[in-house]
Amino acid sequence: MPGVPLFPPQASTIAGEVDALYFFLTAVAAFFSLLIAATIVFFAIRYRRRSNAERPPEIEGSLALELVWTIVPLILVTVMFVWGAQVFFHMNRPPDNSMHVSVVGKRWMWKLQHPTGQREINELHVPVGRPVELTITSEDTIHSFFIPAFRMKKDAVPGRYNTAWFQATKTGTYHLFCAEYCGTEHATMIGRVVVMEPDEYQTWLAGGPVSESPVKAGERLFVEMNCATCHRIDSPGRGPILHGIFGKPVKLVGGETVIADAAYLRESILNPAAKVAAGYQPVMPTYQGQVSEESLLSLIAYIQSLPAPVGGR
Ligand code: CUA
């Protein structure tokens, strides 16, 4: 619905879908609100009591009426559910070819990092027509990463990784807001998203200061924090080898299985005793308080980048 006043521009692939559903829900709600209000007024006048002696006839019920007001709402809410679920799944399944950007909320700013290492604060530059997957977390309290023109909003929750994605369809500059009250400077926790042509984006990437990519930073931290002592491919088996484990199931001491996703790796760095891999002792020290959210994201990016060893191990 371009041109509707009070609505932000539609600048992502999902925006049209979200708006269509939103307008449908609003139209249904408005139609029935008006219908009920008008019926109340009409009945109040039409069936008002005209004298003290008036005794209206008794009503025994009506099967036809019961069926209508059961089946019509059932159809309407079923449409809402199925349609809503479709949009929900589309919004929550980042395409496989997405470019990965990490987002860390902090009172009162957004810290973002590109896969090539460039860091930004309260600004995000992205190429048009390319899906961008965001891993969103917070260093302190709950924030919410909101880009109205993309119809995309996701909470940044401390201790948790939330995923969101968008694909911008139009170049331009769009608002970025924090949509969760997070303290006195909440209202200033705003920024902008700059959508550029792919070649302009490449120029922009090349123009910034050269920074370490998350994978490179993770590799450095892996050595600095002595992870390599136990987890290197030639280490003497004190800790699990991390090559090729990302996204794969891990068998735990207790017998259950978890997927080695970003959340599991994060937990295993901060609270190693929580879910120990089968065949290992809970000897790893905790890194709680010693590693920043950005370093954690780098370590995870590094582990994700490790190829599975040839021949398997
Ligand atoms: Cu961060 Cu509101």
Side-chain angles (χ1 to χ4, degrees), residues 226-284:
N226 293 322
C227 314
T229 321
C230 299
H231 292 290
R232 229 181 30 209
I233 200 141
D234 55 356
S235 66
R238 261 192 291 179
I241 302 306
L242 305 177
H243 285 69
I245 66 154
F246 193 88
K248 298 278 166 11
V250 174
K251 215 165 171 14
L252 301 182
V253 168
E256 45 320 14
T257 302
V258 293
I259 299 293
D261 56 6
Y264 174 68
L265 295 177
R266 180 184 198 282
E267 182 185 45
S268 295
I269 296 168
L270 299 179
N271 183 13
K275 292 183 187 127
V276 180
Y280 295 94
Q281 296 298 312
V283 291
M284 177 171 157

Short mmCIF file of all heavy atoms in Angstrom, two decimals, residues 226-284:
data_model
loop_
_atom_site.label_atom_id
_atom_site.label_comp_id
_atom_site.label_asym_id
_atom_site.label_seq_id
_atom_site.Cartn_x
_atom_site.Cartn_y
_atom_site.Cartn_z
N ASN A 226 43.60 -19.86 25.07
CA ASN A 226 44.06 -21.24 25.30
C ASN A 226 43.03 -22.30 24.96
O ASN A 226 43.13 -23.44 25.45
CB ASN A 226 44.54 -21.44 26.74
CG ASN A 226 45.79 -20.64 27.01
OD1 ASN A 226 46.66 -20.54 26.14
ND2 ASN A 226 45.87 -20.03 28.18
N CYS A 227 42.05 -21.96 24.14
CA CYS A 227 41.10 -22.99 23.69
C CYS A 227 41.85 -24.06 22.92
O CYS A 227 41.52 -25.26 22.98
CB CYS A 227 40.04 -22.39 22.76
SG CYS A 227 39.32 -20.85 23.31
N ALA A 228 42.90 -23.59 22.19
CA ALA A 228 43.63 -24.49 21.29
C ALA A 228 44.32 -25.61 22.06
O ALA A 228 44.55 -26.69 21.52
CB ALA A 228 44.64 -23.68 20.49
N THR A 229 44.64 -25.37 23.34
CA THR A 229 45.34 -26.39 24.12
C THR A 229 44.57 -27.71 24.14
O THR A 229 45.16 -28.78 24.05
CB THR A 229 45.52 -25.90 25.58
OG1 THR A 229 45.83 -24.52 25.54
CG2 THR A 229 46.60 -26.67 26.29
N CYS A 230 43.24 -27.61 24.29
CA CYS A 230 42.46 -28.84 24.41
C CYS A 230 41.64 -29.16 23.16
O CYS A 230 41.22 -30.29 22.97
CB CYS A 230 41.51 -28.73 25.60
SG CYS A 230 42.36 -28.53 27.17
N HIS A 231 41.35 -28.17 22.35
CA HIS A 231 40.40 -28.39 21.26
C HIS A 231 41.06 -28.41 19.88
O HIS A 231 40.35 -28.41 18.88
CB HIS A 231 39.32 -27.29 21.27
CG HIS A 231 38.41 -27.38 22.46
ND1 HIS A 231 37.49 -28.39 22.65
CD2 HIS A 231 38.27 -26.57 23.54
CE1 HIS A 231 36.83 -28.17 23.78
NE2 HIS A 231 37.29 -27.09 24.35
N ARG A 232 42.41 -28.38 19.84
CA ARG A 232 43.02 -28.41 18.52
C ARG A 232 42.94 -29.81 17.95
O ARG A 232 42.82 -30.79 18.70
CB ARG A 232 44.47 -27.95 18.60
CG ARG A 232 44.77 -26.91 17.53
CD ARG A 232 46.20 -26.46 17.56
NE ARG A 232 47.10 -27.51 18.03
CZ ARG A 232 48.24 -27.24 18.66
NH1 ARG A 232 48.58 -26.01 18.91
NH2 ARG A 232 49.03 -28.22 19.04
N ILE A 233 43.03 -29.90 16.64
CA ILE A 233 42.80 -31.19 16.00
C ILE A 233 43.86 -32.21 16.41
O ILE A 233 43.62 -33.41 16.43
CB ILE A 233 42.73 -31.00 14.47
CG1 ILE A 233 42.02 -32.19 13.83
CG2 ILE A 233 44.09 -30.77 13.84
CD1 ILE A 233 41.13 -31.81 12.70
N ASP A 234 45.07 -31.72 16.83
CA ASP A 234 46.11 -32.67 17.25
C ASP A 234 46.28 -32.68 18.77
O ASP A 234 47.27 -33.16 19.29
CB ASP A 234 47.43 -32.31 16.56
CG ASP A 234 47.83 -30.87 16.82
OD1 ASP A 234 47.05 -30.15 17.48
OD2 ASP A 234 48.92 -30.46 16.37
N SER A 235 45.29 -32.12 19.52
CA SER A 235 45.41 -32.11 20.97
C SER A 235 45.09 -33.51 21.51
O SER A 235 44.41 -34.29 20.87
CB SER A 235 44.47 -31.07 21.58
OG SER A 235 43.13 -31.43 21.36
N PRO A 236 45.57 -33.81 22.72
CA PRO A 236 45.50 -35.21 23.17
C PRO A 236 44.13 -35.62 23.71
O PRO A 236 44.05 -36.41 24.65
CB PRO A 236 46.57 -35.25 24.27
CG PRO A 236 46.63 -33.85 24.79
CD PRO A 236 46.27 -32.95 23.67
N GLY A 237 43.06 -35.12 23.13
CA GLY A 237 41.74 -35.65 23.46
C GLY A 237 41.15 -35.18 24.77
O GLY A 237 40.25 -35.81 25.30
N ARG A 238 41.63 -34.03 25.31
CA ARG A 238 41.05 -33.54 26.55
C ARG A 238 39.68 -32.91 26.32
O ARG A 238 38.81 -32.96 27.18
CB ARG A 238 41.99 -32.52 27.20
CG ARG A 238 42.81 -33.15 28.30
CD ARG A 238 43.50 -32.11 29.11
NE ARG A 238 44.56 -31.47 28.34
CZ ARG A 238 45.32 -30.50 28.84
NH1 ARG A 238 45.11 -30.04 30.05
NH2 ARG A 238 46.28 -29.96 28.11
N GLY A 239 39.53 -32.30 25.15
CA GLY A 239 38.24 -31.68 24.80
C GLY A 239 37.84 -32.13 23.41
O GLY A 239 38.67 -32.61 22.64
N PRO A 240 36.56 -31.97 23.09
CA PRO A 240 36.10 -32.37 21.76
C PRO A 240 36.79 -31.55 20.67
O PRO A 240 37.05 -30.36 20.85
CB PRO A 240 34.60 -32.07 21.79
CG PRO A 240 34.26 -31.81 23.22
CD PRO A 240 35.50 -31.42 23.93
N ILE A 241 37.08 -32.20 19.56
CA ILE A 241 37.59 -31.50 18.38
C ILE A 241 36.44 -30.74 17.75
O ILE A 241 35.34 -31.28 17.60
CB ILE A 241 38.17 -32.52 17.38
CG1 ILE A 241 39.28 -33.34 18.03
CG2 ILE A 241 38.69 -31.82 16.12
CD1 ILE A 241 40.38 -32.53 18.66
N LEU A 242 36.67 -29.48 17.41
CA LEU A 242 35.56 -28.64 16.99
C LEU A 242 35.40 -28.56 15.48
O LEU A 242 34.45 -27.96 15.00
CB LEU A 242 35.74 -27.23 17.58
CG LEU A 242 35.89 -27.25 19.12
CD1 LEU A 242 36.15 -25.84 19.64
CD2 LEU A 242 34.67 -27.84 19.79
N HIS A 243 36.30 -29.18 14.74
CA HIS A 243 36.20 -29.13 13.28
C HIS A 243 34.92 -29.79 12.79
O HIS A 243 34.66 -30.95 13.12
CB HIS A 243 37.41 -29.82 12.62
CG HIS A 243 38.64 -28.99 12.68
ND1 HIS A 243 39.30 -28.73 13.86
CD2 HIS A 243 39.31 -28.34 11.70
CE1 HIS A 243 40.34 -27.96 13.61
NE2 HIS A 243 40.37 -27.70 12.31
N GLY A 244 34.17 -29.04 12.02
CA GLY A 244 32.99 -29.61 11.36
C GLY A 244 31.82 -29.90 12.29
O GLY A 244 30.85 -30.50 11.87
N ILE A 245 31.88 -29.44 13.56
CA ILE A 245 30.75 -29.77 14.45
C ILE A 245 29.59 -28.79 14.29
O ILE A 245 28.48 -29.12 14.69
CB ILE A 245 31.13 -29.81 15.95
CG1 ILE A 245 31.54 -28.44 16.47
CG2 ILE A 245 32.17 -30.86 16.23
CD1 ILE A 245 31.29 -28.32 17.96
N PHE A 246 29.83 -27.61 13.73
CA PHE A 246 28.77 -26.59 13.74
C PHE A 246 27.53 -27.09 13.01
O PHE A 246 27.59 -27.55 11.87
CB PHE A 246 29.25 -25.28 13.11
CG PHE A 246 28.30 -24.15 13.39
CD1 PHE A 246 28.42 -23.40 14.54
CD2 PHE A 246 27.26 -23.88 12.50
CE1 PHE A 246 27.52 -22.38 14.82
CE2 PHE A 246 26.36 -22.86 12.78
CZ PHE A 246 26.50 -22.10 13.93
N GLY A 247 26.41 -26.99 13.70
CA GLY A 247 25.14 -27.40 13.10
C GLY A 247 24.89 -28.90 13.15
O GLY A 247 23.85 -29.38 12.70
N LYS A 248 25.85 -29.65 13.72
CA LYS A 248 25.71 -31.10 13.78
C LYS A 248 25.23 -31.52 15.19
O LYS A 248 25.45 -30.80 16.16
CB LYS A 248 27.06 -31.77 13.50
CG LYS A 248 27.61 -31.49 12.11
CD LYS A 248 26.98 -32.40 11.10
CE LYS A 248 27.18 -32.01 9.65
NZ LYS A 248 28.14 -30.99 9.31
N PRO A 249 24.61 -32.70 15.29
CA PRO A 249 24.20 -33.16 16.62
C PRO A 249 25.39 -33.58 17.47
O PRO A 249 26.38 -34.10 16.94
CB PRO A 249 23.29 -34.36 16.32
CG PRO A 249 23.53 -34.73 14.91
CD PRO A 249 24.18 -33.59 14.21
N VAL A 250 25.30 -33.29 18.77
CA VAL A 250 26.35 -33.68 19.72
C VAL A 250 25.71 -34.55 20.79
O VAL A 250 24.69 -34.17 21.37
CB VAL A 250 26.97 -32.43 20.39
CG1 VAL A 250 27.96 -32.83 21.48
CG2 VAL A 250 27.64 -31.55 19.36
N LYS A 251 26.30 -35.70 21.05
CA LYS A 251 25.77 -36.57 22.10
C LYS A 251 26.33 -36.10 23.44
O LYS A 251 27.52 -35.83 23.56
CB LYS A 251 26.19 -38.01 21.81
CG LYS A 251 25.12 -38.99 22.22
CD LYS A 251 25.38 -40.35 21.61
CE LYS A 251 24.48 -41.42 22.13
NZ LYS A 251 23.34 -41.26 22.84
N LEU A 252 25.45 -36.00 24.44
CA LEU A 252 25.88 -35.50 25.74
C LEU A 252 26.08 -36.64 26.72
O LEU A 252 25.63 -37.78 26.50
CB LEU A 252 24.83 -34.54 26.30
CG LEU A 252 24.52 -33.31 25.45
CD1 LEU A 252 23.52 -32.43 26.15
CD2 LEU A 252 25.79 -32.53 25.14
N VAL A 253 26.76 -36.32 27.83
CA VAL A 253 27.02 -37.30 28.88
C VAL A 253 25.72 -37.96 29.34
O VAL A 253 25.65 -39.16 29.55
CB VAL A 253 27.73 -36.61 30.07
CG1 VAL A 253 27.75 -37.49 31.30
CG2 VAL A 253 29.16 -36.23 29.68
N GLY A 254 24.69 -37.16 29.50
CA GLY A 254 23.41 -37.67 30.00
C GLY A 254 22.67 -38.55 29.01
O GLY A 254 21.63 -39.12 29.36
N GLY A 255 23.14 -38.63 27.78
CA GLY A 255 22.47 -39.48 26.80
C GLY A 255 21.68 -38.70 25.77
O GLY A 255 21.44 -39.19 24.68
N GLU A 256 21.28 -37.46 26.11
CA GLU A 256 20.50 -36.74 25.10
C GLU A 256 21.42 -36.12 24.05
O GLU A 256 22.66 -36.23 24.15
CB GLU A 256 19.52 -35.73 25.65
CG GLU A 256 19.67 -34.72 26.69
CD GLU A 256 20.33 -34.74 27.96
OE1 GLU A 256 21.16 -35.63 28.28
OE2 GLU A 256 20.05 -33.77 28.63
N THR A 257 20.80 -35.55 23.03
CA THR A 257 21.56 -35.00 21.91
C THR A 257 21.16 -33.54 21.73
O THR A 257 19.99 -33.21 21.86
CB THR A 257 21.23 -35.80 20.64
OG1 THR A 257 21.54 -37.16 20.88
CG2 THR A 257 22.03 -35.31 19.45
N VAL A 258 22.15 -32.69 21.48
CA VAL A 258 21.83 -31.30 21.16
C VAL A 258 22.49 -30.96 19.82
O VAL A 258 23.43 -31.63 19.40
CB VAL A 258 22.33 -30.30 22.22
CG1 VAL A 258 21.60 -30.46 23.53
CG2 VAL A 258 23.83 -30.42 22.41
N ILE A 259 21.97 -29.91 19.17
CA ILE A 259 22.59 -29.43 17.94
C ILE A 259 23.65 -28.39 18.32
O ILE A 259 23.38 -27.50 19.13
CB ILE A 259 21.53 -28.80 17.01
CG1 ILE A 259 20.46 -29.83 16.63
CG2 ILE A 259 22.19 -28.20 15.76
CD1 ILE A 259 20.94 -30.96 15.76
N ALA A 260 24.83 -28.52 17.76
CA ALA A 260 25.92 -27.59 18.07
C ALA A 260 25.70 -26.28 17.29
O ALA A 260 26.42 -25.97 16.36
CB ALA A 260 27.26 -28.20 17.73
N ASP A 261 24.69 -25.52 17.69
CA ASP A 261 24.44 -24.23 17.04
C ASP A 261 25.12 -23.12 17.85
O ASP A 261 25.82 -23.39 18.84
CB ASP A 261 22.94 -23.99 16.92
CG ASP A 261 22.22 -24.07 18.27
OD1 ASP A 261 22.91 -24.18 19.30
OD2 ASP A 261 20.98 -24.00 18.27
N ALA A 262 24.90 -21.88 17.44
CA ALA A 262 25.56 -20.76 18.10
C ALA A 262 25.21 -20.71 19.59
O ALA A 262 26.07 -20.45 20.43
CB ALA A 262 25.17 -19.45 17.41
N ALA A 263 23.95 -20.99 19.91
CA ALA A 263 23.52 -20.90 21.32
C ALA A 263 24.24 -21.96 22.16
O ALA A 263 24.65 -21.69 23.30
CB ALA A 263 22.01 -21.08 21.41
N TYR A 264 24.41 -23.17 21.61
CA TYR A 264 25.08 -24.23 22.36
C TYR A 264 26.56 -23.89 22.56
O TYR A 264 27.12 -24.07 23.65
CB TYR A 264 24.93 -25.58 21.64
CG TYR A 264 25.73 -26.68 22.30
CD1 TYR A 264 25.39 -27.15 23.56
CD2 TYR A 264 26.86 -27.20 21.67
CE1 TYR A 264 26.14 -28.14 24.18
CE2 TYR A 264 27.62 -28.20 22.29
CZ TYR A 264 27.26 -28.66 23.54
OH TYR A 264 28.00 -29.63 24.16
N LEU A 265 27.20 -23.39 21.50
CA LEU A 265 28.63 -23.05 21.62
C LEU A 265 28.82 -21.93 22.65
O LEU A 265 29.74 -21.97 23.46
CB LEU A 265 29.18 -22.63 20.27
CG LEU A 265 29.19 -23.74 19.20
CD1 LEU A 265 29.67 -23.19 17.88
CD2 LEU A 265 30.06 -24.91 19.65
N ARG A 266 27.90 -20.95 22.61
CA ARG A 266 27.99 -19.85 23.55
C ARG A 266 27.89 -20.38 24.99
O ARG A 266 28.71 -20.04 25.84
CB ARG A 266 26.85 -18.88 23.28
CG ARG A 266 26.83 -17.68 24.18
CD ARG A 266 25.59 -16.83 23.87
NE ARG A 266 25.78 -15.50 24.41
CZ ARG A 266 25.63 -15.21 25.69
NH1 ARG A 266 25.31 -16.14 26.54
NH2 ARG A 266 25.84 -13.98 26.12
N GLU A 267 26.89 -21.22 25.23
CA GLU A 267 26.70 -21.76 26.57
C GLU A 267 27.93 -22.58 26.99
O GLU A 267 28.37 -22.52 28.14
CB GLU A 267 25.45 -22.65 26.60
CG GLU A 267 25.17 -23.21 27.98
CD GLU A 267 24.00 -24.19 27.99
OE1 GLU A 267 23.92 -25.06 27.11
OE2 GLU A 267 23.17 -24.08 28.91
N SER A 268 28.49 -23.32 26.04
CA SER A 268 29.61 -24.19 26.40
C SER A 268 30.87 -23.40 26.72
O SER A 268 31.75 -23.89 27.42
CB SER A 268 29.88 -25.17 25.26
OG SER A 268 28.77 -26.03 25.13
N ILE A 269 30.98 -22.17 26.19
CA ILE A 269 32.13 -21.33 26.54
C ILE A 269 31.91 -20.70 27.92
O ILE A 269 32.82 -20.67 28.75
CB ILE A 269 32.34 -20.23 25.47
CG1 ILE A 269 32.69 -20.86 24.11
CG2 ILE A 269 33.43 -19.25 25.91
CD1 ILE A 269 32.63 -19.89 22.94
N LEU A 270 30.69 -20.24 28.18
CA LEU A 270 30.43 -19.50 29.42
C LEU A 270 30.12 -20.44 30.59
O LEU A 270 30.42 -20.13 31.74
CB LEU A 270 29.26 -18.53 29.21
CG LEU A 270 29.50 -17.46 28.15
CD1 LEU A 270 28.27 -16.58 28.01
CD2 LEU A 270 30.72 -16.60 28.50
N ASN A 271 29.50 -21.55 30.29
CA ASN A 271 29.08 -22.47 31.35
C ASN A 271 29.33 -23.90 30.87
O ASN A 271 28.41 -24.65 30.57
CB ASN A 271 27.59 -22.22 31.64
CG ASN A 271 27.09 -23.08 32.79
OD1 ASN A 271 27.89 -23.69 33.52
ND2 ASN A 271 25.79 -23.16 32.93
N PRO A 272 30.62 -24.29 30.80
CA PRO A 272 30.98 -25.54 30.13
C PRO A 272 30.36 -26.78 30.78
O PRO A 272 30.14 -27.78 30.11
CB PRO A 272 32.51 -25.59 30.28
CG PRO A 272 32.92 -24.22 30.66
CD PRO A 272 31.77 -23.59 31.36
N ALA A 273 30.04 -26.71 32.06
CA ALA A 273 29.52 -27.89 32.74
C ALA A 273 28.06 -28.16 32.42
O ALA A 273 27.53 -29.23 32.73
CB ALA A 273 29.69 -27.72 34.25
N ALA A 274 27.39 -27.21 31.77
CA ALA A 274 25.95 -27.34 31.55
C ALA A 274 25.61 -28.53 30.67
O ALA A 274 24.72 -29.32 30.99
CB ALA A 274 25.37 -26.06 30.96
N LYS A 275 26.30 -28.67 29.55
CA LYS A 275 26.00 -29.76 28.61
C LYS A 275 27.31 -30.33 28.09
O LYS A 275 27.82 -29.90 27.06
CB LYS A 275 25.16 -29.24 27.45
CG LYS A 275 23.75 -28.83 27.86
CD LYS A 275 22.90 -28.39 26.70
CE LYS A 275 21.58 -27.83 27.18
NZ LYS A 275 21.29 -26.51 26.64
N VAL A 276 27.85 -31.30 28.83
CA VAL A 276 29.15 -31.86 28.49
C VAL A 276 28.99 -32.95 27.43
O VAL A 276 28.10 -33.80 27.54
CB VAL A 276 29.83 -32.44 29.75
CG1 VAL A 276 31.19 -33.03 29.41
CG2 VAL A 276 29.98 -31.35 30.81
N ALA A 277 29.84 -32.91 26.42
CA ALA A 277 29.78 -33.91 25.35
C ALA A 277 30.14 -35.28 25.91
O ALA A 277 31.03 -35.41 26.76
CB ALA A 277 30.72 -33.53 24.22
N ALA A 278 29.46 -36.31 25.42
CA ALA A 278 29.69 -37.67 25.89
C ALA A 278 31.15 -38.06 25.66
O ALA A 278 31.74 -37.74 24.64
CB ALA A 278 28.76 -38.64 25.16
N GLY A 279 31.75 -38.74 26.65
CA GLY A 279 33.13 -39.20 26.52
C GLY A 279 34.14 -38.22 27.05
O GLY A 279 35.34 -38.47 26.97
N TYR A 280 33.69 -37.08 27.61
CA TYR A 280 34.63 -36.09 28.13
C TYR A 280 34.31 -35.76 29.57
O TYR A 280 33.17 -35.90 30.02
CB TYR A 280 34.58 -34.81 27.28
CG TYR A 280 35.05 -35.05 25.88
CD1 TYR A 280 34.14 -35.35 24.86
CD2 TYR A 280 36.41 -35.03 25.57
CE1 TYR A 280 34.58 -35.61 23.57
CE2 TYR A 280 36.86 -35.29 24.28
CZ TYR A 280 35.93 -35.58 23.29
OH TYR A 280 36.37 -35.84 22.02
N GLN A 281 35.34 -35.32 30.30
CA GLN A 281 35.16 -34.91 31.70
C GLN A 281 34.80 -33.42 31.75
O GLN A 281 35.24 -32.66 30.88
CB GLN A 281 36.47 -35.13 32.48
CG GLN A 281 36.90 -36.58 32.57
CD GLN A 281 35.87 -37.42 33.31
OE1 GLN A 281 35.42 -37.04 34.38
NE2 GLN A 281 35.50 -38.55 32.72
N PRO A 282 34.02 -33.01 32.76
CA PRO A 282 33.68 -31.58 32.87
C PRO A 282 34.84 -30.79 33.46
O PRO A 282 34.76 -30.23 34.54
CB PRO A 282 32.47 -31.59 33.81
CG PRO A 282 32.63 -32.82 34.63
CD PRO A 282 33.38 -33.83 33.79
N VAL A 283 35.96 -30.73 32.73
CA VAL A 283 37.16 -30.09 33.28
C VAL A 283 37.40 -28.69 32.73
O VAL A 283 38.28 -27.98 33.17
CB VAL A 283 38.42 -30.95 32.97
CG1 VAL A 283 38.39 -32.23 33.77
CG2 VAL A 283 38.53 -31.25 31.49
N MET A 284 36.59 -28.29 31.76
CA MET A 284 36.84 -26.98 31.14
C MET A 284 36.47 -25.86 32.10
O MET A 284 35.42 -25.88 32.72
CB MET A 284 36.02 -26.88 29.86
CG MET A 284 36.14 -25.54 29.18
SD MET A 284 35.39 -25.55 27.54
CE MET A 284 35.07 -23.80 27.34
#
